[in-house]
Amino acid sequence: RRPDTTVEEPRIVWEDEEGGLAVLFKPPGWEVDDDTSVPTGRKLSEYLQGRYPQSCISRDAHHCHGIIHRLDLPSSGLILVGTSFEGYYRLKWQLDTAQIVREYAVVCHGWANPLLREIDVPVYHVAAGSAAESAQPPRRSPARSTVTEMGKPAKTLLRVLGHLSRGEERFSLLAIRICTGRRHQIRTHLQHVGHPTVCDGKYTRASVFIADLSWCPRNFLHRQRLEFRDAQHLPREAIEPLPVDLRNALRKLRPVGEESRVAVCGWLEGHKPMPWDQYEVLEAAEGVAYDTHPSALARPAESACKYDMARPGGAAGGE
């Protein structure tokens, strides 16, 4: 295939050649591919094979070419990679034992209630061509996830940083941390509580998706921060500020109130993402009609990430 030269190239953010570990930035348009799916974008495995020509695992689809966790085609952000089998299993162990921290910047529809700090409901991925897909309503997109009791445990922590508007439309800027890695977890959880992510063709109505495309070029979801341990078991942090295309989209929204204006300014200026505990959560105001489903506030207090049961083998799901 002739590569699409309009798509930005991935780049290595951090690496430990001897330990077989790396963190790369995945731009939108690149797909985490393995032996279970047909890629629809540029394959991240091809970049890794070119970047690490002597790496055996980069050519092993069963081990997802060394990629530890997924990030959807229209999304951007950081991805952990094992450039050797030893490095891969070192990172995979950390993922399966909930030692890896994954944090995101998201803009969603509606004004989220600042008291919403946690979404803890099971997520089930409806694979394309499966029996479960045939039971879905015709309007539903294939290969999507849904909240159901038959799903796997999934927990998402969030902090409402600001409220925004564009004409009559209302939006929220969120910082998100996932405790589990289910397929489309963030997008599914936010849609479940009444706040689907901006420019999401799978989890919003077609009319909403088309309206979003008029000011935002892609799904507003960016994995901005990772915490993990290197080959010497030392703690490491990798960060990636909000990309230019998403900063330009954010400029088209008007912050509502001084707190929201201050929160948005840092993102627009390309500041580095902060550690989770340093984010200033928006104050809940009396008399404001929030758009969050009331049932989502049954657990207002934020709890710790206690589990991350990723499937054995292959890359764990992400957003």
Side-chain angles (χ1 to χ4, degrees):
R1 290 185 309 171
R2 179 172 298 176
D4 183 359
T5 56
T6 63
V7 178
E8 181 185 354
E9 291 286 314
R11 67 178 186 276
I12 300 298
V13 175
W14 175 90
E15 69 178 328
D16 176 2
E17 259 186 89
E18 188 175 340
L21 310 175
V23 179
L24 66 82
F25 168 69
K26 185 197 88 69
W30 289 81
E31 185 163 9
V32 176
D33 56 302
D34 55 22
D35 58 354
T36 63
S37 60
V38 178
T40 56
R42 294 190 66 181
K43 297 192 292 185
L44 205 57
S45 61
E46 294 178 351
Y47 168 79
L48 291 171
Q49 290 161 15
R51 180 66 175 76
Y52 301 102
Q54 303 302 318
S55 170
C56 295
I57 197 170
S58 68
R59 290 168 172 77
D60 188 341
H62 179 69
H63 286 83
C64 203
H65 309 283
I67 302 168
I68 299 300
H69 40 203
R70 294 183 179 275
L71 199 54
D72 282 345
L73 181 72
S75 303
S76 60
L78 300 170
I79 291 182
L80 279 166
V81 176
T83 58
S84 68
F85 283 100
E86 182 180 358
Y88 172 83
Y89 279 106
R90 180 176 286 115
L91 291 172
K92 192 71 169 62
W93 170 256
Q94 293 179 52
L95 180 70
D96 292 348
T97 54
Q99 298 180 55
I100 293 177
V101 170
R102 291 160 286 179
E103 295 176 3
Y104 303 75
V106 174
V107 171
C108 66
H109 282 274
W111 284 357
N113 192 318
L115 298 178
L116 179 65
R117 301 293 182 88
E118 175 183 312
I119 307 171
D120 189 358
V121 288
V123 170
Y124 179 78
H125 180 65
V126 183
S130 65
E133 183 193 11
S134 63
Q136 294 288 306
R139 67 180 182 277
R140 295 286 180 88
S141 301
R144 73 195 306 273
S145 296
T146 186
V147 169
T148 174
E149 291 183 358
M150 66 184 290
K152 296 180 180 180
K155 181 184 288 188
T156 301
L157 307 181
L158 67 155
R159 297 195 164 184
V160 181
L161 306 181
H163 287 154
L164 314 159
S165 67
R166 185 175 182 269
E168 298 298 319
E169 296 179 284
R170 311 206 297 185
F171 303 92
S172 296
L173 174 63
L174 310 176
I176 286 184
R177 172 183 283 190
I178 58 173
C179 304
T180 50
R182 308 305 172 207
R183 186 78 65 92
H184 300 173
Q185 176 176 316
I186 294 174
R187 297 158 69 187
T188 304
H189 271 175
L190 288 179
Q191 191 267 346
H192 176 70
V193 299
H195 299 290
T197 56
V198 162
C199 217
D200 191 338
K202 279 187 181 290
Y203 296 94
T204 55
R205 298 189 305 273
S207 58
V208 174
F209 177 54
I210 292 171
D212 288 347
L213 281 174
S214 67
W215 62 273
C216 185
R218 61 178 174 93
N219 191 211
F220 205 119
L221 191 154
H222 172 68
R223 184 186 285 156
Q224 61 178 357
R225 186 170 176 271
L226 293 173
E227 287 182 13
F228 59 98
R229 291 189 176 271
D230 63 15
Q232 287 73 44
H233 306 288
L234 297 174
R236 293 282 183 176
E237 178 192 51
I239 56 177
E240 182 67 27
L242 204 62
V244 173
D245 63 339
L246 294 184
R247 294 209 304 267
N248 290 337
L250 191 58
R251 286 190 178 92
K252 298 176 182 177
L253 303 178
R254 183 179 64 84
V256 179
E258 181 62 17
E259 281 186 274
S260 297
R261 187 194 66 79
V262 172
V264 169
C265 277
W267 298 88
L268 293 179
E269 294 170 5
H271 290 178
K272 293 180 178 180
M274 294 185 294
W276 183 254
D277 294 332
Q278 293 184 18
Y279 283 113
E280 293 288 338
V281 180
L282 195 67
E283 290 287 337
E286 293 185 9
V288 175
Y290 297 115
D291 302 305
T292 305
H293 291 165
S295 60
L297 298 176
R299 300 186 182 195
E302 179 183 310
S303 62
C305 293
K306 295 183 179 179
Y307 49 74
D308 189 343
M309 294 169 283
R311 67 182 178 91
E319 79 293 352

